[in-house]
Amino acid sequence: MKLHTDDKIISRQSNWVFDEHVAPEFDKHVRKSVPNYVHVQELAETFSDWFTYPNSTVIDFGASTGETLRRIKRRHSKALNLIGYDNSQAMINQAKTKGVDITFADLEKPFVLPDFSYAVSLYTLQFLRPYARNALLKRIYHCLENCGGMFVVEKVLGSTAQMQDILQQLYWEMKAKNGFSSEQIINKAKALRGCMYPKTISDNEAEFTALGFNFEIVFKESQFCGWLLTKSL
Ligand SMILES: C[S@@+](CC[C@H](N)C(=O)[O-])C[C@H]1O[C@@H](n2cnc3c(N)ncnc32)[C@H](O)[C@@H]1O
């Protein structure tokens, strides 16, 4: 069944994909859909000040159209080894139009991951099946340099059933204010069924702790939470 999820995006039931229909619309769609998206991009840039040094490696997991890497590159005069991973060829092609090279990789499968000093994963881990997400985070911890950092932003569930109900409704209202029709809002929820695995803040933090990360919440708005993860000696 075809589902209109934005003015120029048609999706399918239980099958949200970042394909050639979504990719050209993605930068506009994400700004309409995610609260304070631009602020999160600015934070991703700003945190890089603490964790980069000449020729250090910076990774964007789920780099999509390359916007975050483009900003980090523009910010620094020092040379950085910038790497973005994504498994959508359409998003990779879209990034190319901005002059950003993204490497094709499926984050749910093993691939060669270099050591790095700073990384971001913005709204991406939520799309990985929980066992694959945990396996990736384990490898990320291993490859993150001592004293390195990673900025993670995720869609999260409320801590109780009532909180979840309130946060969900606030989020739908925000989308309506941003111009989505009621039909588009419910259609997006239908398209995302079975494609997204959000967790509560405490479940996210239990996973970070078990893997050995230090962490601090550095962003919280509606159903979205951002943590700065670090690794210390
Ligand atoms: C919501 S978008 C991320 C947006 C981007 N990080 C930003 O801040 O604008 C999620 C991205 O993760 C990618 N993605 C989802 N599952 C993936 C997987 N298994 N492997 C690699 N990339 C994946 C999608 O193709 C998409 O570009």
Side-chain angles (χ1 to χ4, degrees):
M1 187 175 46
K2 284 186 177 174
L3 301 170
H4 290 266
T5 49
D6 200 343
D7 297 339
K8 292 188 184 159
I9 302 180
I10 298 175
S11 308
R12 301 271 169 181
Q13 183 87 17
S14 185
N15 188 27
W16 175 257
V17 282
F18 296 91
D19 62 9
E20 66 280 9
H21 304 293
V22 172
E25 294 300 313
F26 179 78
D27 287 349
K28 215 161 66 181
H29 179 74
V30 74
R31 281 167 176 73
K32 250 170 100 179
S33 306
V34 174
N36 274 318
Y37 177 79
V38 173
H39 175 58
V40 166
Q41 290 290 322
E42 287 164 358
L43 286 175
E45 261 188 68
T46 307
F47 291 136
S48 70
D49 292 352
W50 278 271
F51 301 107
T52 53
Y53 53 87
N55 300 312
S56 69
T57 295
V58 173
I59 298 183
D60 185 350
F61 295 95
S64 66
T65 66
E67 189 56 27
T68 318
L69 286 178
R70 192 183 66 80
R71 282 170 170 268
I72 292 172
K73 183 175 182 187
R74 191 186 54 188
R75 184 177 185 92
H76 296 279
S77 52
K78 61 197 170 210
L80 294 173
N81 176 30
L82 298 168
I83 301 174
Y85 296 118
D86 208 286
N87 72 343
S88 160
Q89 194 54 51
M91 294 296 238
I92 292 172
N93 295 344
Q94 194 64 28
K96 197 118 196 132
T97 67
K98 295 186 193 173
V100 182
D101 281 324
I102 306 290
T103 304
F104 185 95
D106 184 350
L107 300 176
E108 292 198 329
K109 298 194 176 130
F111 60 96
V112 179
L113 189 58
D115 288 350
F116 59 92
S117 68
Y118 179 59
V120 298
S121 173
L122 309 179
Y123 320 102
T124 296
L125 297 178
Q126 63 203 32
F127 288 105
L128 307 184
R129 289 176 191 85
Y131 72 89
R133 167 201 158 109
N134 186 262
L136 175 67
L137 280 170
K138 245 183 219 155
R139 291 167 58 224
I140 286 175
Y141 183 81
H142 180 74
C143 295
L144 179 61
E145 294 172 5
N146 282 321
C147 306
M150 172 155 162
F151 182 37
V152 173
V153 180
E154 284 282 283
K155 188 169 190 184
V156 292
L157 300 175
S159 57
T160 64
Q162 186 193 22
M163 296 296 186
Q164 171 60 21
D165 182 37
I166 293 169
L167 291 178
Q168 183 68 73
Q169 292 193 37
L170 281 182
Y171 181 47
W172 284 336
E173 282 182 12
M174 183 222 88
K175 289 182 102 173
K177 271 194 207 131
N178 285 357
F180 286 106
S181 69
S182 304
E183 191 193 5
Q184 288 169 342
I185 293 169
I186 188 69
N187 281 348
K188 179 74 181 280
K190 286 181 179 175
L192 282 171
R193 286 178 192 170
C195 301
M196 205 192 251
Y197 310 89
K199 315 203 295 185
T200 61
I201 289 177
S202 58
D203 283 351
N204 274 285
E205 294 187 345
E207 188 171 32
F208 300 149
T209 303
L211 291 165
F213 290 107
N214 309 313
F215 56 84
E216 189 82 33
I217 290 180
V218 287
F219 172 78
K220 176 74 175 73
E221 174 81 43
S222 170
Q223 293 188 300
F224 296 87
C225 187
W227 295 264
L228 185 61
L229 310 185
T230 61
K231 177 174 169 180
S232 47
L233 287 168

